[in-house]
Structures are given as C-alpha cells and as structure tokens.
Amino acid sequence: MVPLFEPYQLGAVTLSNRIVVSPMCQYSAEEGSATAWHHAHLASLALGGAALLFVEATAVSPEGRITPHCLGLWSDANEVALGEVLATLRAVSPIRIGIQLSHAGRKGSSEVPWRGGQLIPIGAGGWQTEAPSALAHLDNEAPPRALVEAELPELTAHFVRAARRAVRLGFDAIELHAAHGYLLHQFLSPIANQRTDRYGGSLENRMRFPLEVFDAVRAAVPEEIPVGVRISATDWLDASTDPSWTLEQSVHFAEVLKAHGTAWIDVSSGGISPRQKIVLGPGYQVPFAARIKEMTGLPTIAVGLITEAKEANAIVARGEADCVALARAMLYDPRWAWHAAAELGATVPGPEQYWRALPKSAGRVFGDIHIGMR
Ligand SMILES: Cc1cc2nc3c(=O)[nH]c(=O)nc-3n(C[C@H](O)[C@H](O)[C@H](O)COP(=O)(O)O)c2cc1C
C-alpha cells in the first residue's frame, strides 16, 4: 500500500489519490474570461495523474481581481469561456476539478508579476481597491477604500453568484481563498483589519465576514459539492509585538469552519505583510496542516515546497495531512504524479494515447482507470 496513492473521500467527491494541483494564477484572461492559454495549461496538468485540479484564484467581481488579466466568474461571458475549458478537460481526463473563488481586496489593481506586480494607478488602467481598513499593503502604495458595513452583503452576493456559476459549470468542488493577504484574509488579520465595528477587533469579529461568505456560499451550493477554505495559517510575524494572525487563531477559525460545514482546510501561510519572516524549507507549512488536523479532525491539504515523491508519501503516511497540493513542481513537471507512482510502485490514471510512453523502469504505472479521447 502506498498512502499517497490511496483513494480519498472529500465530502461526496471521490479522489483517486492524494495528489492535488494547487491553484495557480495565470494572468492570462481577457476581461476575466479564460483564453486558449487556460485550455493548454489546465489540460496539460489534467493529464498528469493527480486526483484533483484547482483552477486558479477566480475573481468574483472585476474589482476582486489581482491584476487586469486575472480569471473571473462574474459575467455570462466569463461563464461561457470557462465552460469551454471545462468541456475540454472533461473530454480528456477523469481528474476532479475544483475552482478557487477569490477577491483580492487591497492587493487588487496590480501589474502582473512578470511586469513587477506594482499597484496600477486609477487613471492608468487600475481601480480603487477595497479592504476592511484604509491601510495600504506597502507603505508607498495608495491606500484602499475602507468598506462600509452596508456594502458587505453585496460583496457576499458576488461570492454567491460566482459559486452558482461554478455549480452550473459542473465544478466538483469550491475553495474560498482566505489566504495570501487577499480580502478574506485581510478581514481575519489585525495587520489589515483595524475596524472598530462588529467586523474588527476581537477574533470573533474578524472572523465574522469570512464566515458570512462561507455560510452564504455553502447555502447556495448543492450538498454534494464540497466547499473548503484555503487559509494562511500564520502571518509569520511576532504577534506579541506586531498584532497579527497566528496558528492558534487558525486552529480556532478551522474549528468554527468545521461547525459551519467546511469540507477541508487547505493550509498555506503568509502574504499579508512585507514584514513577514518566512522560514522556508521542504514541506515548511506541513506542521501547520498537521496541527489543524490534529486539533480539529478536519480533512487537510498540505502545500508548500513539497517536491519529492517520498516526502509527499510520508506526509500522508504520517497522517500530517490527507492530501498534498503542489504548485511549482507541477509546472516544472506536469507528469509529477506519473513519476511519483513509478518511484513508489503505484498506479495513476493514464490516457491510452500515452500508454506507449512508459520506459521499462516505470513498471505498470497506468492503472485500470483510464480515459482517452473517444
Ligand atoms: C504561478 C503561481 C500562481 C499561484 N496562484 C495562486 C492562486 O491562484 N491561489 C492560491 O491560493 N495560491 C496560488 N499560488 C500559490 C500556490 O498555490 C502554492 O500554495 C505555493 O506556490 C506553494 O506551493 P509550491 O511550493 O508547491 O509551489 C500560486 C503559485 C504560483 C507559483
């Protein structure tokens, strides 16, 4: 038995193994609509034998985008374009497909990373960003506009409408992005949330808006579609001197989310402050996932510098997380799961068209489950 390749039940969704393709922004959409790039990029990842593929952070409104080129799901045109991508993926792969719904908050209106990622001024194609408090992410940036309480129901409604579109498109799972310093994380962390109303201050107050969004999305989505949450488990700051989000708060948030019906916690970290002091290393966020799993019993996805098959297998074998998500390693080697299966003596779904690809050393990597273009 190879734990990394054991099936897993994520709510009503059966995963053929524990390998997840982490959501990855491509900054290649037009007015939020998927393009040829998304067909090629996602199809390549869908053929690699992982069990679950997350479509990148998908903005629930135009202002919710990180960059003008981010994927979105706020319009009929967005829905049609993404539907075509999904049809391609369904035709060629049995992989389960999730979507990450997101709002960038104060990290919106930015240039794409390969052009520097800096804030785009309003007159130059940018927009007025919105956040819990009028606090800029970087000192030299124009501050966001502080959302007033009366605006929050409409923001929640954006998440709900996007979730309904995702359901119509036939996504298998929905993940809310409450990590990496984006809007929902901005509400959670005192770094970005210095409100004095019932959405700021105490931990209960800071969790209020993300929980309202979770509840509204959960209620709008059929029961058989699991809804999970990606969090930043820590802001990587010294909370005793720099009030910020900590692992203890994450454990509490996860406990509350469990009571509200989350299907998993996807455990990342950081992204809210340029003062963060991240300690990087192989599997550096796995202990956070393990702690949350231990304290809450929730299904967890571990992510972050998991690159080796043996290491990924050990994370699952030791019960530190139920699944492992990989991002950069998947771009570098979209067939990562094939190679992991070959190394560990397991099998993955493989397309018939590629059956002749296997070198002798790979053994019988392609299992019984397979799908090809029919
Ligand atoms: C190109 C790229 C785009 C990313 N976009 C997203 C995203 O849309 N949503 C998200 O939650 N994380 C995003 N991330 C973070 C990854 O999902 C992952 O958490 C991180 O890269 C650590 O995993 P890794 O070491 O396997 O790359 C992105 C990472 C990369 C490299």
Side-chain angles (χ1 to χ4, degrees):
M1 194 193 87
V2 182
L4 185 63
F5 288 92
E6 285 296 299
Y8 186 68
Q9 200 63 36
L10 197 60
V13 175
T14 305
L15 303 183
S16 59
N17 58 49
R18 310 303 184 91
I19 303 167
V20 176
V21 182
S22 205
M24 281 181 274
C25 286
Q26 297 299 297
Y27 316 103
S28 300
E30 284 167 12
E31 300 295 327
S33 292
T35 62
W37 178 256
H38 294 91
H39 286 258
H41 160 71
L42 291 167
S44 144
L45 294 167
L47 293 173
L52 175 63
L53 164 68
F54 274 110
V55 169
E56 67 196 77
T58 302
V60 298
S61 65
E63 317 76 54
R65 289 175 294 178
I66 306 167
T67 77
H69 308 283
C70 284
L71 192 65
L73 194 46
W74 66 80
S75 72
D76 291 347
N78 295 162
E79 189 176 329
V80 168
L82 199 52
E84 287 166 5
V85 174
L86 234 69
T88 297
L89 301 180
R90 296 294 190 207
V92 301
S93 168
I95 198 166
R96 303 289 92 199
I97 307 169
I99 184 167
Q100 188 186 51
L101 297 180
S102 182
H103 190 300
R106 70 178 188 173
K107 286 175 95 173
S109 189
S110 297
E111 203 31 286
V112 299
W114 53 82
R115 282 188 223 117
Q118 68 282 4
L119 211 67
I120 306 173
I122 292 172
W127 57 90
Q128 175 62 60
T129 57
E130 306 164 344
S133 301
L135 297 165
H137 180 70
L138 300 177
D139 289 342
N140 61 352
E141 287 180 350
R145 185 178 67 77
L147 288 155
V148 298
E149 188 170 335
E151 293 175 288
L152 299 182
E154 182 54 19
L155 259 179
T156 304
H158 286 312
F159 276 92
V160 167
R161 283 184 217 121
R164 290 213 174 100
R165 290 185 189 276
V167 170
R168 268 206 299 272
L169 288 175
F171 277 98
D172 298 301
I174 295 177
E175 179 171 271
L176 295 182
H177 198 346
H180 303 168
Y182 297 116
L183 185 72
L184 298 182
H185 184 188
Q186 288 160 29
F187 270 89
L188 294 172
S189 174
I191 292 292
N193 183 347
Q194 293 179 9
R195 297 175 75 94
T196 52
D197 62 3
R198 57 197 195 97
Y199 290 93
S202 68
L203 175 56
E204 299 314 307
N205 280 357
R206 283 180 279 120
M207 293 192 312
R208 192 180 311 279
F209 183 62
L211 287 172
E212 284 176 3
V213 170
F214 180 85
D215 287 346
V217 167
R218 185 56 280 180
V221 168
E223 212 178 314
E224 63 273 16
I225 300 182
V227 179
V229 181
R230 173 170 272 202
I231 63 167
S232 277
T234 172
D235 287 344
W236 290 106
L237 294 161
D238 180 355
S240 63
T241 53
D242 209 352
S244 50
W245 186 253
T246 61
L247 181 58
E248 291 70 44
Q249 296 177 59
S250 291
V251 169
H252 182 68
F253 184 43
E255 265 162 5
V256 176
L257 278 170
K258 183 181 183 183
H260 287 236
T262 194
W264 71 87
I265 304 283
D266 181 355
V267 187
S268 191
S269 71
I272 199 124
S273 167
R275 298 191 303 281
Q276 66 187 7
K277 297 225 159 29
I278 301 186
V279 184
L280 282 176
Y284 69 107
Q285 294 169 151
V286 174
F288 304 143
R291 179 78 178 156
I292 288 168
K293 186 170 164 57
E294 180 196 348
M295 299 302 286
T296 66
L298 272 170
T300 53
I301 302 175
V303 66
L305 287 179
I306 300 167
T307 57
E308 304 304 318
K310 286 198 182 76
E311 178 187 66
N313 190 46
I315 291 165
V316 176
R318 289 193 294 256
E320 292 167 343
D322 299 286
C323 296
V324 290
L326 287 79
R328 289 163 291 184
M330 283 290 180
L331 295 185
Y332 189 63
D333 175 12
R335 314 276 192 249
W336 189 91
W338 293 13
H339 301 143
E343 186 179 334
L344 301 173
T347 59
V348 284
E352 292 105 335
Q353 292 90 338
Y354 289 175
W355 281 4
R356 288 163 67 187
L358 297 182
K360 279 218 167 52
S361 60
R364 192 180 153 271
V365 164
F366 294 145
D368 298 331
I369 323 162
H370 55 263
I371 184 167
M373 277 190 267
R374 289 170 214 285

